[in-house]
Amino acid sequence: MPEPRVLIVEDNEANLHLMQEVLKPLGYEILVASDGEEGVRLARERLPDLIVMDIQLPKMDGLTATRLIKSTPETCRIPVIAVTAHALLRDKENAQKAGCNDYVTKPLNTRLFREKVRGFLQPSPAPAGKTGS
Ligand code: MN
């Protein structure tokens, strides 16, 4: 099985570097986009298993990019973790409304970030009482 593919959409170089440092040891294939338009394009072309989406991005913000990704049949099932600059309730609600599955805040808590990413990429056990088909 190929390693999971993670798309990071982040325009802040320091934060991008930090995310890569956290995820690389886990063996994931990492794709990078530095603006929202490129993020949507890469999501459609490369179909990652998970997207880490900064909200404040050039050309197209992360909420708009997420809405596009979530309204496209080919990409709508890809989980999106939003990266917000503030821990405000409004930011969380906006991220959820746009279709984000989870969110983390800056400055990045690397341990929490790693756990959330792994949570989305680990195969979930089959529901009890059901056999595979
Ligand atoms: Mn940003």
Side-chain angles (χ1 to χ4, degrees):
M1 238 173 86
E3 64 267 32
R5 179 179 288 169
V6 180
L7 168 61
I8 303 174
V9 190
E10 170 63 271
D11 63 319
N12 180 288
E13 279 191 31
N15 214 43
L16 173 62
H17 184 75
L18 179 60
M19 291 172 171
Q20 287 175 304
E21 290 295 307
V22 172
L23 298 187
K24 266 181 186 166
L26 301 177
Y28 302 139
E29 177 187 353
I30 297 175
L31 309 173
V32 169
S34 56
D35 66 65
E37 287 181 4
E38 190 185 10
V40 171
R41 182 176 61 77
L42 276 182
R44 288 174 176 169
E45 289 179 3
R46 306 293 303 279
L47 298 176
D49 300 292
L50 175 70
I51 299 171
V52 177
M53 180 73 76
D54 183 29
I55 296 305
Q56 292 184 303
L57 290 167
K59 294 188 183 177
M60 178 193 294
D61 69 84
L63 294 180
T64 303
T66 298
R67 278 191 286 269
L68 279 172
I69 288 165
K70 290 293 185 178
S71 62
T72 302
E74 291 78 12
T75 56
C76 67
R77 286 178 190 81
I78 303 172
V80 175
I81 300 177
V83 183
T84 69
H86 310 286
L88 298 176
L89 182 62
R90 193 186 64 233
D91 289 340
K92 182 186 177 183
E93 288 173 346
N94 286 340
Q96 284 174 339
K97 273 184 206 160
C100 296
N101 301 77
D102 205 341
Y103 80 110
V104 294
T105 55
K106 298 184 192 182
L108 202 65
N109 176 326
T110 54
R111 184 190 54 79
L112 189 64
F113 177 63
R114 182 188 300 114
E115 283 177 10
K116 289 201 174 196
V117 168
R118 291 180 70 176
F120 278 107
L121 293 175
Q122 279 165 357
S124 50
K130 287 194 176 180
T131 54
S133 56

